[in-house]
Amino acid sequence: MKVLKFGGTSVGSVAALRNVKQIVESAGGQVIVVVSALGGVTNQLIEMTNMALSHSSDYESILAQVKQRHLDTISQVVPPHLQHQCNAVVEQFIEGLASFYSMLLLNHDLPADDIDAIKDAIVAHGEIMSSAIVTCMIDGAEPHFAPNFIKTRKSQGTHSLQAELTQQLIKQQLGSAGTQRIVTQGFIAEDADTGKKTNLGRGGSDFTAALIAAALDAECLEIWTDVDGFMTADPRTHPDATVIPTMTYEQAQAMCDAGAKVIYAPTLHPVAKRHIPVWVKNTFNPSAPGTVIK
Ligand code: ADP
Ligand code: ASP
Ligand code: MG
């Protein structure tokens, strides 16, 4: 069994999603697919929250764009017989977002804890909508809801992962699933005490995928992104950077700790503990060999 994680740019355009479908459907054996929100959507969800909190209704036009982008994507990647159902899911979640934003817009004296809970509920919508599209797009895929098994607990104002509980729930809920292709959301989680939505922090989809791979002792974890592999430096700022074919967990961790955002820093620990190899591969250039971290 393999865990394949696709980041925001990898699910952010029709061309990229077609590659995702091809990569997943040609992978042998059982595959668990972890997806991020469509590229840029998490930032838009946060931007709209800030507008609503400052009592500006300017978020409405952005929300209309977010809705249209998802519906346009569905019309191009989802098989015709599933489009109606998939549109209905997206429309339902866009309506949910509209209610959250109008709650923030109209209520001037919400307690800080309520505002935090609404922010977390809002930001979960990106992954929920992208995963609906990817589930409908991939032949034979079955959806699983990540907040049912990725659990956090609040202490001293921050949400932290409940590692043991999460591991148990992943084993229970995904370990015995007979389906060959499972699709779930990265990043999003649920508070183990209150049942409210939380998350693993920006860039946290990589971590979700690693937690699943570790709990199920996967054959490998594949991080599918928009560069040919883990490189000597960020190619956006260092055009001469080159791909590193093989790295140890320690070498990769040191670069992540120094800010290489290609892998979210907490990701490597759970997989390294179980000696699960991590591949970094390019969704836009799947035949490139990529990087293996082992
Ligand atoms: P995703 O949305 O797939 O999670 P990210 O934007 O989080 O993608 O990570 C991929 C980006 O990480 C690349 O586009 C690249 O600009 C940046 N990056 C920073 N450091 C490195 C590095 N050492 N090697 C490769 N990419 C890097
Ligand atoms: N969508 C979330 C973010 O933009 C999580 C992720 O992409 O890993 O931070
Ligand atoms: Mg990332």
Side-chain angles (χ1 to χ4, degrees):
M1 191 275 295
K2 296 180 187 175
V3 179
L4 274 58
K5 178 261 172 176
F6 293 92
T9 43
S10 298
V11 293
S13 66
V14 167
L17 281 164
R18 292 200 172 121
N19 287 0
V20 170
K21 179 173 166 67
Q22 164 76 28
I23 291 161
V24 173
E25 292 180 0
S26 60
Q30 194 190 29
V31 176
I32 300 184
V33 177
V34 176
V35 294
S36 293
L38 268 55
V41 166
T42 307
N43 285 348
Q44 286 177 306
L45 294 172
I46 294 168
E47 187 191 354
M48 288 188 280
T49 301
N50 292 335
M51 287 173 169
L53 277 172
S54 53
H55 310 296
S56 155
S57 59
D58 289 353
Y59 70 81
E60 285 170 358
S61 61
I62 302 176
L63 188 58
Q65 284 167 30
V66 169
K67 175 179 174 179
Q68 201 51 50
R69 180 174 172 198
H70 284 82
L71 296 179
D72 287 347
T73 303
I74 292 169
S75 72
Q76 293 177 77
V77 300
V78 169
H81 70 285
L82 293 175
Q83 285 185 10
H84 179 71
Q85 189 188 337
C86 199
N87 285 342
V89 172
V90 164
E91 276 160 6
Q92 179 198 331
F93 284 103
I94 293 287
E95 266 175 40
L97 281 171
S99 323
F100 280 126
Y101 290 130
S102 67
M103 208 186 301
L104 295 178
L105 182 75
L106 302 173
N107 288 297
H108 292 236
D109 47 12
L110 282 172
D113 276 356
D114 289 1
I115 294 180
D116 286 346
I118 294 173
K119 283 182 175 174
D120 285 341
I122 286 173
V123 86
H125 283 64
E127 272 71 13
I128 294 175
M129 294 191 291
S130 66
S131 66
I133 297 177
V134 173
T135 307
C136 292
M137 178 186 82
I138 289 172
D139 204 20
E142 180 187 287
H144 276 259
F145 191 48
N148 290 342
F149 49 83
I150 306 287
K151 301 288 180 181
T152 61
R153 201 159 256 148
K154 201 169 184 180
S155 76
Q156 292 165 350
T158 52
H159 298 290
S160 43
L161 178 77
Q162 292 300 290
E164 271 190 25
L165 176 61
T166 295
Q167 188 190 53
Q168 268 172 28
L169 291 170
I170 292 171
K171 282 186 182 159
Q172 273 169 22
Q173 294 176 36
L174 302 183
S176 55
T179 332
Q180 285 297 94
R181 293 172 188 151
I182 289 173
V183 176
T184 192
Q185 306 83 23
F187 175 63
I188 66 177
E190 188 175 279
D191 186 289
D193 300 315
T194 63
K196 290 185 176 156
K197 298 292 161 291
T198 58
N199 60 68
L200 300 177
R202 297 299 308 271
S205 293
D206 297 333
F207 192 29
T208 305
L211 294 169
I212 296 172
L216 301 180
D217 211 10
E219 165 190 338
C220 65
L221 165 62
E222 297 180 1
I223 303 285
W224 288 87
T225 184
D226 58 359
V227 285
D228 275 345
F230 209 126
M231 304 179 80
T232 49
D234 185 344
R236 285 185 213 198
T237 47
H238 294 78
D240 53 347
T242 53
V243 174
I244 308 168
T246 306
M247 300 171 91
T248 64
Y249 296 113
E250 290 75 15
Q251 286 167 337
Q253 186 67 58
M255 286 185 71
C256 292
D257 291 342
K261 72 175 277 225
V262 63
I263 296 181
Y264 181 55
T267 302
L268 292 171
H269 181 68
V271 278
K273 248 175 43 183
R274 288 179 167 70
H275 305 280
I276 297 169
V278 181
W279 286 89
V280 180
K281 297 271 294 175
N282 192 349
T283 306
F284 301 85
N285 185 17
S287 60
T291 297
V292 63
I293 305 165
K294 57 184 183 179

